[in-house]
Each structure stands twice: as structure tokens, then as C-alpha cells.
Amino acid sequence: MNAVDGSEHYERTSNEPPPSLLTIIIDTNPVAWAVLSETLTLSQAVANLLVFINAHLAFNNANKVAVIASHVQRAEFLYPPPIQAPIVSAVNGTSHTEALPDDSDTDMADVPIPPSTSIHQKLILNGPAPLNTNGAHAPFLTRSNTTLANDDANIYRPFHQISTALLSSLSTLLATTTASSLTTTSTTALAGALTLALTYINKQTTLLTTPASSTGATSSSLNTAAATLTSRILVVSVSTASPSQYIPFMNTIFAAQRLQIPIDVLALAGLSSFLQQAADATNGTYISLCSAASSSRTTTVSTTPATHGLLPTLLLAFLPDRTSRSHLIAPTEASVDFRAACFCHRKVVDIGFVCSICLSIFCEPPEGAVCLTCGTHLRLGKYGGQPAVVVRKKKRRRKDGEGRDTPARQYLQREDR
């Protein structure tokens, strides 16, 4: 047919780099940030992360970003913000539902201040709020004290939207955190945040790789290269992961490893063996900025992080995507702590018992020698029994008439020596 119509046919391919999705998980544990408030505040860390996000978006117009807060007892999206509930208004005794427009701007109204306790003062984004003349705390997130003004035309609009939405969502999250939730548990829901990140990456990948037939184009009329989405996850950690989250945490690591999604870790304080294993299993980068001991098994939380090196570390170590890292040498940790947590008591062990069927780990033999996961009867053999001690028989010596050993016996003694 090409010779009949005489027209030239082209195969249009895209030479542009594939879009990259960066999912950032911020550890917003108030207890951990209260310890680091004298050297590194949450507002300083968020400011450095915003510069890092802007640099990622500036590389390619098609790049995407998502920010998830790993908070106590839950994990929430900071950006993109969750869909707001419809407004319900009562008119003449009847309720009317008004849906919010998609392009509506978020009104950053003053957030009510929690009770004036020592723990709530640490939850404020920019540190303890100053007192007014009336003795009350000033609002910590308003239109006047934000770094970005809504009417500033010198700021790139996508940068402004991300900054506004991120600060608003983070302030709302901290304001809704109560002291009772902190006294119940102080662990961070890191496994839940990783699950949200993987589900969001899967959704964006599915939307990008939609078949061309759904848009009305056919493969014969348009031959384009299939777009691929290179995704990665960055975890900014300030606390150690709880051993109770070992099973769901390892499930997320295996899922990311199967999907070829690297998990990068930036530890500002504390050393977590689970995060080291996540970075090692997914070919990610693990960097610790805290001045802790050189041993990989040290679990002491440091309070002197390298605050001045936070932004250079983000730009130099974590900015390249998965495609660019094949040409670079990643500055990751050389030693990895591969210890696991037992399934019975949720504590990290060096030596334990492993089920041969489901590979469950136990720090001690379970009751009745039955696996707690799959119910398989474990064969422990003679574990716990006393070892059999065999008494060595004494050899009788041959002696001559004068009570001395014979020459043959002396020769055998020399051979034994």
C-alpha cells in the first residue's frame, strides 16, 4: 500500500525522558521531633524538602510527587491532599449538598490551637508559638506568616500549589494530634505509610499505561513508544521502627522489590535495621546523618544531626532517579544489620528457630512445638535434653617385675605424645 498511495509514513517515537514519580514519606512523630527541636525543627526539615521537591519537578514537566506523613497510629497523605467532603448547608429546614469545584483554592484559615501543655507546644510546625498580649498562643499558620503569598506572581505556580497544600495539610495533622494518642503509643506507622506509597504508585502507573484504544487511537495509525513511569520512595526517618511492625514491613519490602521500586532512606536520628534491609533489598540508598556509633547494631537515638548537610545530601544523593543511578555510584552504607524480629514476642534476635514450612522465626520453641503461623508440628529432635557423657575406660599398664613400664609400653606412650 505504501507504493500505491505514494505518501510517506512515520513512526512517531518520543525522545523525552520518561516521567518520574517521587513519593516522600516524612516521619512526623511528635515525640522524636521534640527531642530534635533544639538542633533541627520540623519547619527546617520541611523547608529543605520543599527545595528538593522543586528541583525534582524542574527536571521534567511530567514529573510527579507525593508526600505521605508517617504519624503515630496512622499514615495520611499530605500531597496530593485528600478530597474534601461536600459542604452540607441547611436552607429552610432542608439540607443541601454543595460539591466543591476541582480547581477551588484552599482557604488557609487559622487553625485552633490545642491546649497549652508542654507536649502540645512541641506539635506546632514552627516551634512554640509566641504569646499575645492576652497571654494566648498566636496562630501558627495564617496567610500573613506563611512564606509564600497567594498573590506573589514571581513564584512558579506548581511550586506554590505544592507548598501551600503541604503546609496546610501538615498543620492540620499536627493540630489534630492529641496528648492521649501520644501516651497510648509513640511508634510511627511506617509500614502503613509504605503501603499507601505502593498503592499510589500502582495507581499512577496504571493510569499512565492505559491502552491507546481507550483514547480512540489505533496502533496502525499511531505507533508511539510505551510510556513508562520510573518510581521511587524516599523515607525521612527520625525514629526507629517498632519490631511489632516487622511482618507488614517485610511484606512491603518484598512488594517493592518485585515491582523494582527502590526505597531510599535518610535517617536524621536513630538507626533502624529494618530500613537498612529495605534499602539493601530494593537497591536503594541509605544515608544516616546522625552522629551515632559506627556499629550497625547500635540503637541509640542521637540528638545531634548534621543539619547543615541536609539539603546537599538530598540534592546530591537522592535527586537522581532510577535511570540516572545506573551511571552513578550511590553513597550508601556498606554494613547492613540483617537481624530479624521473632513472630512470638516481636523482638529482634540474633539466633532463633525457623519453621521449615512458612519460614516463621521464633526466639524460643513455641508451646507444644507447633508453629504459631501455619500450625505445623516442629521437629525439635533432642533439643533441651542433657548430652550423653561416655566414661572413658582406663587402660591397664603392663609392668615388669620391678614395677617399671615395659619398653613396649614406653614406646606407645611416646607415640601418643
Side-chain angles (χ1 to χ4, degrees):
M1 294 299 294
N2 295 341
V4 174
D5 57 12
S7 60
E8 297 181 358
H9 298 270
Y10 302 93
E11 290 185 0
R12 294 186 295 176
T13 58
S14 177
N15 296 327
E16 298 181 357
S20 178
L21 173 60
L22 173 62
T23 306
I24 302 177
I25 298 177
I26 306 176
D27 188 356
T28 57
N29 191 341
V31 177
W33 284 108
V35 175
L36 301 177
S37 59
E38 296 181 358
T39 56
L40 178 65
T41 60
L42 181 58
S43 60
Q44 295 175 355
V46 171
N48 290 301
L49 285 175
L50 287 177
V51 176
F52 172 70
I53 292 173
N54 296 342
H56 168 73
L57 297 177
F59 268 103
N60 191 352
N61 190 26
N63 285 355
K64 300 180 180 180
V65 68
V67 183
I68 302 175
S70 177
H71 207 56
V72 288
Q73 298 182 346
R74 66 184 188 273
E76 294 184 3
F77 270 96
L78 299 181
Y79 184 86
I83 301 176
Q84 298 180 358
I87 302 176
V88 180
S89 58
V91 179
N92 297 329
T94 59
S95 60
H96 299 273
T97 303
E98 300 177 2
L100 294 177
D102 296 336
D103 56 348
S104 60
D105 294 334
T106 303
D107 188 10
M108 298 177 62
D110 296 345
V111 183
I113 298 299
S116 57
T117 58
S118 59
I119 188 64
H120 282 290
Q121 292 180 3
K122 297 294 183 181
L123 300 181
I124 302 177
L125 180 61
N126 295 321
L131 297 177
N132 293 333
T133 56
N134 299 331
H137 289 281
F140 55 90
L141 184 60
T142 59
R143 293 180 180 269
S144 58
N145 60 13
T146 51
T147 57
L148 299 177
N150 293 334
D151 55 352
D152 193 352
N154 297 324
I155 302 175
Y156 187 44
R157 184 173 178 83
F159 297 169
H160 169 68
Q161 291 178 349
I162 293 178
S163 302
T164 304
L166 179 60
L167 292 177
S168 177
S169 302
L170 184 58
S171 299
T172 304
L173 175 64
L174 297 180
T176 54
T177 303
T178 59
S180 59
S181 61
L182 298 179
T183 55
T184 304
T185 177
S186 60
T187 58
T188 305
L190 186 57
L194 287 173
T195 304
L196 288 179
L198 291 176
T199 53
Y200 183 78
I201 290 174
N202 184 37
K203 179 180 179 181
Q204 296 299 320
T205 304
T206 304
L207 293 177
L208 185 63
T209 58
T210 304
S213 58
S214 62
T215 58
T218 59
S219 59
S220 59
S221 60
L222 181 61
N223 296 324
T224 59
T228 57
L229 182 65
T230 59
S231 305
R232 66 185 190 274
I233 300 175
L234 173 61
V235 180
V236 181
S237 174
V238 294
S239 59
T240 57
S242 176
S244 61
Q245 303 181 17
Y246 176 75
I247 299 178
F249 192 85
M250 295 305 297
N251 291 336
T252 57
I253 292 178
F254 295 148
Q257 186 180 19
R258 182 178 180 86
L259 298 175
Q260 297 182 357
I261 300 176
I263 299 178
D264 302 329
V265 179
L266 177 60
L268 299 180
L271 296 176
S272 177
S273 60
F274 301 156
L275 291 177
Q276 292 181 4
Q277 297 178 23
D280 180 76
T282 58
N283 295 327
T285 302
Y286 181 89
I287 295 180
S288 178
L289 292 183
C290 57
S291 58
S294 58
S295 176
S296 60
R297 298 189 178 183
T298 302
T299 58
T300 303
V301 179
S302 173
T303 58
T304 57
T307 57
H308 300 287
L310 178 57
L311 183 57
T313 303
L314 289 172
L315 295 178
L316 297 178
F318 300 106
L319 187 58
D321 56 359
R322 189 177 60 186
T323 305
S324 303
R325 291 182 184 182
S326 59
H327 308 283
L328 302 174
I329 299 177
T332 185
E333 292 285 342
S335 59
V336 181
D337 187 5
F338 289 104
R339 291 184 299 170
C342 65
F343 286 31
C344 49
H345 300 93
R346 300 294 191 271
K347 58 182 181 179
V348 181
V349 295
D350 294 328
I351 300 176
F353 301 86
V354 181
C355 177
S356 59
I357 304 300
C358 63
L359 301 180
S360 299
I361 304 173
F362 304 100
C363 60
E364 60 185 14
E367 184 178 359
V370 178
C371 179
L372 302 178
T373 304
C374 61
T376 304
H377 181 73
L378 304 178
R379 296 182 179 179
L380 302 178
K382 296 181 180 179
Y383 174 78
Q386 296 294 333
V389 179
V390 180
V391 180
R392 185 177 180 180
K393 295 182 180 180
K394 295 183 179 181
K395 296 182 180 180
R396 298 178 62 181
R397 297 182 180 182
R398 291 184 179 181
K399 298 182 180 180
D400 54 6
E402 298 180 358
R404 296 176 299 178
D405 293 337
T406 59
R409 185 62 182 175
Q410 294 176 1
Y411 174 77
L412 292 177
Q413 291 178 357
R414 288 195 300 266
E415 290 295 331
D416 292 341
R417 294 175 184 174

